[in-house]
Amino acid sequence: MEQYEPDCPSPAAQAAIRRGPSGARAAFTRRSLLRAGAGGAFAAGGLAALSACGIPPAGRAPGGTPADDHSAREKTVNFSNWTEYIDVADDDKSHPTLDTFRRRTGIKVAYTEDINDNNEFFGKIKPQLAAGQDTGRDLIVVTDWLAARMIRLGWVQKLDPANLPHAFANLSAQFRSPDWDPGRAYSYPWQGISTVIAYNKKALDGVEVRSVSDLLDNPKLKGRVGFLSEMRDSVGMTLLDMGKDPARFTDDDYDAAIARLQRAVDKGQIRRFTGNDYTSDLTKGDFAACVAWAGDVVQLKADSPDVDYVIPDSGYLTSTDNMLIPNKARHKTNAERLIDFYYEPEQAAALAAYINYVSPVDGVKPWLAKIDRDAAANPLIVPDKAMQAKSHAFRSLSQKEETAYEEKFAKLTGA
């Protein structure tokens, strides 16, 4: 019997910043929430922590547990997503793509922005999942490490390929077969998230930054470098710089990466480890350069001519937020039809034009160009083949690894 990990809900992260009066989406809405709670809650282990949460250990039911599918009789789908993670009409109320889906299919989407934090959301739904009950949700969006956990626990349903022709045909090659869900049997990406190096040209004052080594070793940047408080991003980028594959590293490789970061901390090279608040440090010039999320960089570049980015020759890290159908969902077929809808390039383009993350849909570029030529030409939104070739994923972790690695990272960052 496999137990689920002891991760009592963390407090919700701060509310997302709404769109500004110019109509441009704020850079720090989605990312400021996504990583909150992704690490520290894993560190406290043991059955005692499970008892403290008031939830009994759960067994694994391979393949998930379907319910009677009411899709044919009940033309609805209950969709839980993150704040500010879908297109919004000028009235700031309706969602054009969801309206298109309803008109075309007759299926009404009950769309709820009730995910503020991966661990917090998991805390909401795990009592029902552990008890074999319906969560009240047909479709959810969670980050890859949590998607991997839920699949491992047997708490999500296997998808029916017959209902996903566009998704199967149009899923970008770089997202097709993660080690935690080979062949995408249980999940499809909502959006991709790239981790790159961002810099402030004015603050650099002629200093060249091309790699993580430059961040860690160039004395001219001492005290003006930022790394992320998300373990997978900071350690993953460091592993790549050391010539190690984040998809295949060992315990010794991990420890070597932590030691390398620790040396930079000890000598004052790294100013601090941050969540999304690095965006303020970067635009002000307190950070001359930092590890950053590409979705933020797109918006920061639009607002500040001093901000730019670089893809290291060693590569960059890509993760995903993923659509899953929980066990006992009442409207599985309707949920699959909605997944498939977002893999039509025209709909994927409408979504990408608004939220500016990496579209996982092949064929999106010409449709996006009709809406926003600059976005279509931006490899941070539509990666070209050269950029895709530099993409790497952080491998899935066992519960034992998760706890040990997060403890070491927390010690490094002082969390």
Side-chain angles (χ1 to χ4, degrees):
M1 176 179 291
E2 181 178 351
Q3 298 165 350
Y4 61 76
E5 293 83 335
D7 57 342
C8 296
S10 63
Q14 62 181 359
I17 300 173
R18 299 295 298 173
R19 293 175 68 194
S22 67
R25 181 180 175 274
F28 11 90
T29 52
R30 169 72 181 105
R31 183 52 39 190
S32 63
L33 303 174
L34 174 62
R35 296 299 185 181
F42 294 161
L47 291 173
L50 283 172
S51 300
C53 291
I55 309 299
R60 187 175 191 275
T65 306
D68 291 336
D69 193 347
H70 298 266
S71 293
R73 297 185 301 278
E74 300 175 5
K75 294 294 185 179
T76 188
V77 58
N78 298 304
F79 184 10
S80 283
N81 203 351
W82 295 76
T83 304
E84 297 282 357
Y85 211 23
I86 197 170
D87 55 311
V88 181
D90 291 340
D91 62 8
D92 277 335
K93 295 179 181 179
S94 61
H95 307 290
T97 54
L98 293 182
D99 291 342
T100 299
F101 178 76
R102 176 183 51 79
R103 288 193 300 269
R104 182 191 299 179
T105 65
I107 299 169
K108 181 180 179 180
V109 180
Y111 185 77
T112 308
E113 295 182 332
D114 62 343
I115 307 179
N116 292 317
D117 170 297
N118 281 293
N119 278 322
E120 182 206 11
F121 181 68
F122 188 57
K124 287 181 184 179
I125 63 176
K126 69 183 177 183
Q128 295 101 314
L129 292 170
Q133 299 172 351
D134 180 13
T135 66
R137 299 166 174 87
D138 302 306
L139 190 64
I140 63 175
V141 175
V142 297
T143 309
D144 45 19
W145 59 266
L146 181 53
R149 180 196 301 184
M150 293 182 69
I151 292 170
R152 186 171 70 241
L153 291 166
W155 285 358
V156 296
Q157 297 187 51
K158 196 168 187 176
L159 301 172
D160 184 350
N163 294 326
L164 297 160
H166 295 99
F168 181 81
N170 296 331
L171 176 61
S172 175
Q174 75 178 106
F175 300 119
R176 277 198 174 270
S177 195
D179 65 348
W180 47 270
D181 187 16
R184 291 288 180 181
Y186 296 90
S187 68
Y188 269 90
W190 175 250
Q191 296 290 286
I193 306 157
S194 298
T195 305
V196 300
I197 293 175
Y199 58 86
N200 184 308
K201 288 178 278 189
K202 186 176 181 180
L204 282 179
D205 193 25
V207 177
E208 185 177 44
V209 171
R210 302 293 304 172
S211 67
V212 170
S213 288
D214 291 333
L215 299 183
L216 295 175
D217 301 329
N218 190 332
K220 293 181 180 179
L221 299 179
K222 183 177 180 179
R224 300 190 297 138
V225 167
F227 273 72
L228 293 167
S229 55
E230 162 56 29
M231 177 269 287
R232 288 166 178 79
D233 291 303
S234 287
V235 174
M237 291 291 281
T238 304
L239 285 167
L240 283 170
D241 190 71
M242 297 168 64
K244 303 296 182 180
D245 186 350
R248 294 179 177 82
F249 66 89
T250 65
D251 287 348
D252 288 343
D253 295 333
Y254 183 88
D255 289 345
I258 290 289
R260 187 161 185 227
L261 288 165
Q262 186 67 61
R263 289 193 295 272
V265 169
D266 292 344
K267 67 183 181 182
Q269 185 77 6
I270 296 176
R271 183 183 183 96
R272 66 189 184 106
F273 292 83
T274 72
N276 183 256
D277 48 332
Y278 74 84
T279 55
S280 175
D281 289 310
L282 185 63
T283 54
K284 289 189 299 184
D286 291 341
F287 284 164
C290 61
V291 176
W293 290 303
D296 293 337
V297 176
V298 171
Q299 293 295 331
L300 292 175
K301 277 174 58 65
D303 296 334
S304 173
D306 292 327
V307 173
D308 212 334
Y309 74 97
V310 64
I311 304 296
D313 289 340
S314 59
Y316 68 101
L317 215 63
T318 299
S319 55
T320 51
D321 289 331
N322 307 275
M323 295 177 280
L324 305 170
I325 299 176
N327 283 356
K328 298 292 186 177
R330 285 177 61 88
H331 311 108
K332 181 174 183 286
T333 298
N334 291 347
E336 289 168 338
R337 292 183 69 182
L338 184 58
I339 294 172
D340 196 60
F341 171 80
Y342 278 106
Y343 273 81
E344 297 176 15
E346 182 178 3
Q347 309 309 328
L351 185 62
Y354 189 86
I355 63 177
N356 293 156
Y357 281 90
V358 179
S359 176
V361 179
D362 275 346
V364 72
K365 187 170 184 175
W367 288 98
L368 184 55
K370 295 178 181 180
I371 305 170
D372 185 337
R373 287 188 176 275
D374 289 340
N378 191 333
L380 296 182
I381 300 174
V382 186
D384 55 26
K385 289 184 178 179
M387 187 164 174
Q388 287 184 19
K390 290 187 175 183
S391 171
H392 297 266
F394 198 97
R395 68 173 174 84
S396 58
L397 303 177
S398 67
Q399 180 181 343
K400 181 179 179 181
E401 288 176 324
E402 185 100 53
T403 300
Y405 290 174
E406 290 288 1
E407 284 178 345
K408 291 174 182 179
F409 189 70
K411 184 177 179 181
L412 166 73
T413 63

